[in-house]
Amino acid sequence: MTEEETAPPPPGPEPGRDRPTGRSALRAGLWPPRATRSQLLAAVLLFVLGLGLAIQVRATGSEETALRGARQEDLVRILSDLEDRTARLEEEKSGLEEQRTELETSSDQAEEARRQTEERERQLGVLAGTVAAEGPGITLRIDDPLGAVEADMLLDAVQELRAAGAEAIQINDVRIAAGTSFVDENGGVFVDGEPVRAPFRIGAIGRPQDLEPALNIPGGVVQSLENEQAEVSVERQEKVVVDALRSAEQPDYAQSSP
């Protein structure tokens, strides 16, 4: 008998034990997990990235939903404000470029710089309310027979005029500036602590073709006042005088340098 005939048979599966199936083999390969440190770090980074994208998508969707649900009057108002701001920024850009050209081409740059400084000082005085001003603009008159006009309504009118490019505003005999306050007190309206009574007369200097439509847009200042039974009239003027002045505040610590 040869060795091949006497060699024992190859080992087989033990009796009573089945071979592992594909599913059990896959489960055994996945659990317990054998992830390396670099794989865990990559998983954390992917999770953070996905969370950030989800938040951004939700924020964008909420803004689109807000605009989609807005009334037609609100959309017209938003579009009008954006167009007005774009036009004012273009004008400001052109003005700055013109000033730069004048400085670069002037034969006496020191004199040109002084002239521009004085002009800028005058403009800041108009904005601060310390200098009288006149120019084209609009006049807004509000008659309030029911006494329904309150401080917030006048503030809305001022904000609309500012957004439309008004450079100087006056309500009755009170000059409006950046720090002006509007308060309801004792059944009346106080502007910077001064009582302001109907009829309210608001004068604003700026481009009449911008200021007047800003007040008359659907759902705007004029319509809101008329809903309170107030009588409102807006007129474009070639010359509006804003001569109420505010006292210049003296700084406590700052002083001009030589």
Side-chain angles (χ1 to χ4, degrees), residues 34-51:
R34 299 180 180 85
T36 64
R37 184 175 182 180
S38 60
Q39 290 174 335
L40 290 176
L41 180 60
V44 172
L45 292 176
L46 289 174
F47 173 77
V48 173
L49 178 61
L51 181 62

Side-chain angles (χ1 to χ4, degrees), residues 15-87:
R17 180 177 298 177
D18 297 333
R19 294 183 179 181
T21 63
R23 182 178 300 177
S24 60
L26 178 61
R27 187 185 305 113
L30 293 177
W31 188 267
R34 299 180 180 85
T36 64
R37 184 175 182 180
S38 60
Q39 290 174 335
L40 290 176
L41 180 60
V44 172
L45 292 176
L46 289 174
F47 173 77
V48 173
L49 178 61
L51 181 62
L53 289 175
I55 294 175
Q56 183 177 1
V57 169
R58 175 174 293 183
T60 304
S62 60
E63 293 177 357
E64 293 178 353
T65 302
L67 290 176
R68 191 179 298 112
R71 298 179 303 172
Q72 183 177 359
E73 294 83 357
D74 296 333
L75 294 175
V76 171
R77 184 175 181 177
I78 293 172
L79 180 60
S80 176
D81 290 343
L82 290 176
E83 291 176 347
D84 292 342
R85 291 176 185 176
T86 301

Side-chain angles (χ1 to χ4, degrees), residues 122-252:
R122 186 194 67 79
Q123 293 175 355
L124 292 176
V126 171
L127 295 176
T130 59
V131 177
E134 63 179 37
I138 61 99
T139 56
L140 170 65
R141 179 185 174 96
I142 305 172
D143 290 290
D144 184 23
L146 301 182
V149 176
E150 298 180 344
D152 60 337
M153 301 178 187
L154 296 180
L155 178 59
D156 288 342
V158 169
Q159 289 178 331
E160 285 292 346
L161 291 170
R162 281 177 174 169
E167 298 174 352
I169 305 175
Q170 177 175 326
I171 299 181
N172 290 5
D173 296 325
V174 181
R175 184 70 170 268
I176 306 302
T180 299
S181 62
F182 293 78
V183 179
D184 292 316
E185 187 175 346
N186 298 327
V189 178
F190 285 74
V191 180
D192 275 346
E194 297 291 332
V196 178
R197 297 180 177 87
F200 304 102
R201 298 177 302 276
I202 302 179
I205 297 176
R207 289 166 53 93
Q209 58 268 37
D210 293 337
L211 301 181
E212 189 266 339
L215 298 175
N216 284 306
I217 60 176
V221 172
V222 172
Q223 184 174 342
S224 299
L225 289 169
E226 290 177 344
N227 290 339
E228 299 296 332
Q229 306 304 314
E231 300 175 3
V232 186
S233 62
V234 182
E235 295 182 4
R236 301 187 184 188
Q237 303 285 342
E238 293 294 331
K239 181 180 178 180
V240 176
V241 177
V242 175
D243 53 6
L245 302 180
R246 299 170 62 92
S247 59
E249 298 182 1
Q250 297 298 324
D252 295 328

Side-chain angles (χ1 to χ4, degrees), residues 85-103:
R85 291 176 185 176
T86 301
R88 290 197 301 273
L89 289 175
E90 289 294 337
E91 290 180 359
E92 183 176 355
K93 177 185 175 183
S94 299
L96 292 174
E97 290 176 347
E98 183 178 351
Q99 290 180 6
R100 183 185 64 183
T101 302
E102 291 175 353
L103 282 173

